Amino acid sequence: MAAAHTDVVHIEGIEDIDLHAPQASEAVQVKYLAGQKYASPKSLREPIRLMLDHYKTGARWNYVLYIHFSDFGNMPDRLDVAQVKQSLTKKTRDEGTVEYFVGVHDADLEDFCSRLRIIRGDAFETQETALIDALRVAMDCDGDEVLAIYIAKVREFIHERARSDDPSVRTVTRHELIDSLTVKDFLFDKWQMQKIGADRYLAAQKRKLRSSNFHDPTKKRAVYLEICENSLDETVRLCEALAGKQLGRLKSAHPWTVIVEGAPDIVRRLKVGLVRSDIAFNDGHEDLEFQSQAFTEPPIINTRGAGDKIQRSSFVLRLVTQKSFRVLTPTQFKISRLVSIGDEQAWMNGAADQVITLRHFEPAAYRQLMEEIA
């Protein structure tokens, strides 16, 4: 069973796994009964009963029972109406005969049967090998890398999602899973910094930014960073440093855009800090209601005499939360160069022509680096 790129997977939804494709939804129940043998349709009672309960709500999904027995015997891959009734009939000492299909017409049971597939699940070792092979292809790496890096990351990702009470957290796409596993560059960067030392690594990052024209003020440049209480003061100073470079430049220069992610109170305090520092910034009125047109409008500038250098500007910095920035389409506001302080995120590639990720530094080092290439 494999999800397409456009499919959405819901972990611990109606069943263990709900797979939503554009044309249909599918509920997958997974059972691993290595100590049991398949004897009759009664061996499938509990998962079949749960699936029929969902069907009785009016849902017209497809259903998959992915099950492993130590001995599959003559287990079928489809059930007919008679077999479903056999499966869902239980005799107890207290209640006598219990029929879990009562109230469901035979025509509906026949429709239910047409939607139900039973798949023989592989042994754990075989499934592990298949998972390694799938990750090797998806991550374009070898089996050793899968075992060293990605297996643990996959389990961590699934367990974290499955434990959440928020249904939206338990919903994931193939792309999001793959994106969460992309840690090779992160690990290599960390190893490189430890190998050559923090100062030399910082200098190497500065050279990389300059060679990619991140120091060119005629390009629309942005920096993304997550802010918290501990990094607030350095973030204020970083914004001050980027804003301070704008005055005195040729009028073809674009002000920096700072995109932040953080608690609303921390973002508000960042803006208050800039106001107190007399930094004029444009946030598209996002504290009231974000206005794309106001945010993307160029600043009104005055030049020095007959020259082309900026003397005054209606704003010297754009500052906006990630949520507001992602309202913009590339046709409205396309970044040329984006510095991501932290992990690169999927939305960034569509928002900028080029993205460079910086990691492992303290906030003061980020400020120093950005100020030197600003």
Side-chain angles (χ1 to χ4, degrees):
M1 183 184 63
H5 287 282
T6 56
D7 291 350
V8 175
V9 177
H10 191 184
I11 304 166
E12 297 291 351
I14 300 302
E15 296 293 349
D16 297 320
I17 304 167
D18 297 344
L19 185 61
H20 301 288
Q23 303 301 322
S25 293
E26 187 171 84
V28 181
Q29 180 84 222
V30 180
K31 295 293 182 184
Y32 195 82
L33 306 174
Q36 299 182 30
K37 298 180 180 181
Y38 175 83
S40 72
K42 293 182 182 295
S43 304
L44 310 175
R45 177 182 296 137
E46 280 308 302
I48 298 295
R49 183 175 66 84
L50 292 172
M51 290 175 172
L52 184 61
D53 284 345
H54 179 250
Y55 179 87
K56 288 191 293 187
T57 66
R60 292 301 178 261
W61 290 23
N62 295 321
Y63 300 93
V64 174
L65 174 56
Y66 191 91
I67 190 165
H68 175 79
F69 287 104
S70 60
D71 183 350
F72 288 102
N74 61 347
M75 187 184 79
D77 57 6
R78 295 279 187 178
L79 298 180
D80 59 26
V81 172
Q83 289 171 318
V84 166
K85 288 183 176 181
Q86 180 187 0
S87 173
L88 299 180
T89 300
K90 179 180 180 181
K91 292 183 179 180
T92 66
R93 181 175 299 177
D94 296 331
E95 301 177 72
T97 301
V98 178
E99 296 177 333
Y100 293 107
F101 56 86
V102 169
V104 184
H105 298 297
D106 282 2
D108 289 328
L109 286 176
E110 189 171 344
D111 180 55
F112 174 73
C113 290
S114 71
R115 298 173 179 275
L116 173 64
R117 289 182 298 136
I118 303 171
I119 298 177
R120 298 187 177 205
D122 292 322
F124 179 81
E125 294 77 10
T126 305
Q127 293 186 41
E128 188 89 347
T129 300
L131 174 60
I132 292 170
D133 288 341
L135 286 172
R136 181 178 52 78
V137 173
M139 304 308 299
D140 190 23
C141 64
D142 60 32
D144 290 338
E145 288 179 278
V146 171
L147 292 172
I149 302 172
Y150 299 118
I151 283 284
K153 291 291 292 181
V154 165
R155 288 171 177 157
E156 177 187 346
F157 181 91
I158 297 299
H159 290 166
E160 180 180 335
R161 298 296 180 107
R163 289 196 304 265
S164 176
D165 294 329
D166 185 350
S168 65
V169 173
R170 300 198 306 272
T171 299
V172 64
T173 64
R174 177 188 176 92
H175 178 79
E176 288 171 337
L177 172 60
I178 298 300
D179 190 54
S180 75
L181 300 178
T182 309
V183 295
K184 187 188 296 185
D185 289 344
F186 172 84
L187 295 174
F188 177 78
D189 286 349
K190 193 172 185 68
W191 171 86
Q192 185 186 24
M193 187 174 73
Q194 292 171 347
K195 187 74 173 177
I196 68 176
D199 291 341
R200 290 178 62 189
Y201 181 77
L202 184 65
Q205 297 304 305
K206 182 169 67 174
R207 289 194 299 272
K208 181 167 71 172
L209 289 167
R210 287 187 174 275
S211 67
S212 300
N213 286 327
F214 276 74
H215 65 298
D216 184 351
T218 65
K219 298 185 180 299
K220 286 185 178 178
R221 298 174 295 168
V223 57
Y224 167 83
L225 66 162
E226 297 179 3
I227 58 175
C228 61
E229 183 73 39
N230 292 337
S231 63
L232 178 59
D233 290 342
E234 281 295 344
T235 304
V236 172
R237 285 192 278 272
L238 169 61
C239 291
E240 291 172 347
L242 297 179
K245 299 287 187 176
Q246 187 66 6
L247 298 181
R249 282 186 162 152
L250 297 178
K251 62 182 181 181
S252 58
H254 292 284
W256 274 88
T257 297
V258 178
I259 307 166
V260 297
E261 177 69 23
D265 180 62
I266 298 294
V267 176
R268 183 190 65 80
R269 288 167 57 191
L270 169 61
K271 293 180 180 181
V272 169
L274 294 180
V275 170
R276 289 175 177 170
S277 297
D278 200 26
I279 301 296
F281 61 89
N282 175 6
D283 65 356
H285 313 299
E286 69 173 353
D287 294 327
L288 301 173
E289 182 179 83
F290 183 67
Q291 299 293 319
S292 300
Q293 184 175 354
F295 182 77
T296 58
E297 281 290 317
I300 300 171
I301 61 174
N302 293 332
T303 56
R304 294 177 182 172
D308 286 336
K309 290 189 175 181
I310 300 171
Q311 183 177 32
R312 295 177 59 85
S313 181
S314 57
F315 63 86
V316 290
L317 188 77
R318 287 188 174 91
L319 174 63
V320 70
T321 60
Q322 179 196 163
K323 179 180 178 181
S324 294
F325 181 81
R326 293 181 66 179
V327 170
L328 303 170
T329 65
T331 56
Q332 290 175 307
F333 193 73
K334 183 66 177 284
I335 297 294
S336 176
R337 301 289 188 271
L338 173 61
V339 179
S340 175
I341 296 179
D343 289 336
E344 183 177 331
Q345 300 180 26
W347 61 268
M348 294 177 179
N349 290 322
D353 294 326
Q354 186 172 357
V355 181
I356 284 184
T357 302
L358 301 177
R359 306 181 180 97
H360 310 306
F361 296 125
E362 294 298 320
Y366 289 126
R367 176 176 59 82
Q368 173 193 339
L369 178 60
M370 293 304 300
E371 186 172 9
E372 290 182 6
I373 63 100

